Amino acid sequence: MSNTPELTPISYLVLGLVARGASTSYELKQRVAGSVGYFWSFAHSALYAEPARLETAGLLTESREAHGRRRRMYTITPAGRDALEAWLREPTREPTQVRDLGLLKLFFAGLIDEDAARELARAQAAVHRERLAAYEAVAGAKAQSPDDLYPLETLRMGLMVERAFVAFWESLV
Amino acid sequence: MSNTPELTPISYLVLGLVARGASTSYELKQRVAGSVGYFWSFAHSALYAEPARLETAGLLTESREAHGRRRRMYTITPAGRDALEAWLREPTREPTQVRDLGLLKLFFAGLIDEDAARELARAQAAVHRERLAAYEAVAGAKAQSPDDLYPLETLRMGLMVERAFVAFWESLV
DNA sequence: GGGTACATGTAATCAGTTACATGATTTA
DNA sequence: TAAATCATGTAACTGATTACATGTACCC
């Protein structure tokens, strides 16, 4: 059956990564860590469960190594590529979620004294400055290889958000 | 037992809202909708399940109306207030998650033709412009009442992020 | 050759969602 | 008074996490 059985964002993420090249779960994990993982992360075990589900749905095929570790290698099927492309072409109105615990704490900062609130701002500013520096390093390294244009663009957006956070927290200090 | 039995962000969110004033689940729902919900949203049923859990943990107390709807009204306990304050004071290094399906699609836009990618950018730019306008309206309305300073600040951060998204998508068109 | 880090997975649990249900109020 | 909408909840399901487990390769 090639009817789309409720795919989640992680489904498409896996589909997309496998579309760029057949992979084992471990390879997926590494590729996520170096790219999308910066803004959309999850437990590595999801990368074992999800391909299995996609295989059941006929969107991936699995082939196991004959010897040694007998790792499962996943490849995208034509149906998988169709589902992925259809999803990519369809715009979304899903609201953007910015899940930042610091922000959530700030929301309730009226319940603690002002000094503690300021301290929170200071700490979060420091964390985001660190993160920004790390992203900038990654971006600098990736900017050399001009393939992978779009992943680089999402990284650029990540940088913009981090800069906004730094500016925001610093404005509160 | 007042040992902290793994509270989630939603736990603290509920705790924080109830700390600002005893509420029923429905009131929580409404308060979320007009504030934190903009950046941290979830199903309303969570606001029925979560207070119950917090009551078991001794962080809230429940009292039911004697007559009529017998609604459950929740009040924070001293232990609840302690747990909340301790959490508020502790800074976090939890990575910020920016969950935006448009961005995820863009990450894989290399798999579709350039026109489709540009179309995606155009659509997302429009969506974010709309959202930005809505936030600005809310912010304008809230700016009148200068109590609730911190919620207003988080809204300001929300605005910054939306502006960044608009600029980003427009730069791709 | 013992330790440590990398690699590869499975099983159980649970937070949060979806779907359902029904009572109370307003409106037309 | 019918219809819609607001208010209030429960039950079942499941995606994703936590925790566990073990194999392999490198390095000191």
Side-chain angles (χ1 to χ4, degrees):
Chain A
M1 230 95 10
S2 121
N3 70 339
T4 348
E6 256 23 280
L7 300 183
T8 70
I10 291 189
S11 309
Y12 290 111
L13 197 157
V14 168
L15 227 36
L17 289 176
V18 175
R20 313 258 237 92
S23 316
T24 66
S25 291
Y26 192 76
E27 283 164 8
L28 290 177
K29 174 187 162 182
Q30 292 191 302
R31 301 217 249 143
V32 167
S35 57
V36 239
Y38 288 121
F39 69 98
W40 203 302
S41 76
F42 42 85
H44 82 275
S45 65
L47 293 176
Y48 289 87
E50 191 58 39
R53 235 178 291 163
L54 293 173
E55 203 232 338
T56 305
L59 306 178
L60 297 182
T61 51
E62 172 198 313
S63 71
R64 300 194 69 165
E65 288 178 341
H67 306 300
R69 300 203 162 195
R70 313 217 58 227
R71 280 174 297 194
R72 300 160 206 273
M73 168 77 64
Y74 294 99
T75 310
I76 196 163
T77 65
R81 201 169 278 272
D82 285 354
L84 176 60
E85 283 196 24
W87 177 76
L88 287 175
R89 285 171 197 284
E90 179 190 348
T92 176
R93 305 193 56 83
E94 205 71 7
T96 304
Q97 305 263 335
V98 179
R99 306 236 151 165
D100 181 273
L101 283 185
L103 215 50
L104 187 57
K105 289 179 192 219
L106 182 70
F107 186 85
F108 293 113
L111 297 165
I112 54 179
D113 52 294
E114 240 179 87
D115 278 357
R118 204 183 316 274
E119 186 47 39
L120 172 66
R122 218 187 313 272
Q124 296 313 117
V127 168
H128 283 282
R129 266 193 304 266
E130 246 184 71
R131 223 171 268 164
L132 177 58
Y135 283 14
E136 267 164 350
V138 174
K142 297 232 165 155
Q144 309 313 333
S145 50
D147 49 74
D148 272 358
L149 179 73
Y150 292 111
L152 199 61
E153 287 296 327
T154 65
L155 189 54
R156 188 163 69 82
M157 182 65 214
L159 281 171
M160 290 174 69
V161 170
E162 278 308 321
R163 286 205 191 94
F165 267 102
V166 169
F168 175 71
W169 289 113
E170 286 184 343
S171 81
L172 292 177
V173 177
Chain B
M1 231 85 20
S2 124
N3 69 340
T4 349
E6 258 21 281
L7 300 182
T8 70
I10 292 189
S11 309
Y12 290 111
L13 196 157
V14 168
L15 227 37
L17 289 176
V18 176
R20 314 257 237 93
S23 316
T24 66
S25 290
Y26 192 76
E27 283 163 8
L28 291 177
K29 174 187 162 181
Q30 292 190 302
R31 300 218 249 143
V32 166
S35 57
V36 240
Y38 288 120
F39 69 97
W40 203 304
S41 76
F42 43 85
H44 83 277
S45 65
L47 294 175
Y48 289 86
E50 191 57 39
R53 235 179 290 164
L54 293 173
E55 203 233 338
T56 306
L59 306 178
L60 296 181
T61 52
E62 171 198 314
S63 71
R64 300 194 69 166
E65 288 178 340
H67 306 300
R69 300 202 164 198
R70 312 219 58 229
R71 279 174 298 195
R72 300 160 206 274
M73 167 77 63
Y74 294 99
T75 310
I76 196 162
T77 66
R81 200 168 280 272
D82 286 354
L84 176 60
E85 282 195 25
W87 179 76
L88 287 175
R89 285 172 198 286
E90 180 189 346
T92 177
R93 305 192 58 83
E94 205 71 8
T96 304
Q97 304 264 335
V98 178
R99 306 235 151 167
D100 182 272
L101 283 184
L103 215 49
L104 187 57
K105 289 178 192 221
L106 183 69
F107 186 86
F108 293 113
L111 297 165
I112 54 180
D113 52 295
E114 241 180 85
D115 277 357
R118 204 183 315 275
E119 186 47 39
L120 172 66
R122 217 187 312 272
Q124 296 313 116
V127 168
H128 283 280
R129 267 194 302 266
E130 244 183 71
R131 223 172 266 164
L132 178 57
Y135 283 16
E136 267 165 348
V138 175
K142 297 232 166 155
Q144 309 313 334
S145 50
D147 48 75
D148 273 358
L149 180 72
Y150 292 112
L152 199 61
E153 287 297 327
T154 64
L155 188 54
R156 187 164 68 83
M157 182 64 213
L159 281 171
M160 290 172 69
V161 171
E162 277 309 320
R163 286 206 191 93
F165 267 103
V166 169
F168 175 71
W169 288 113
E170 287 184 345
S171 82
L172 293 176
V173 177

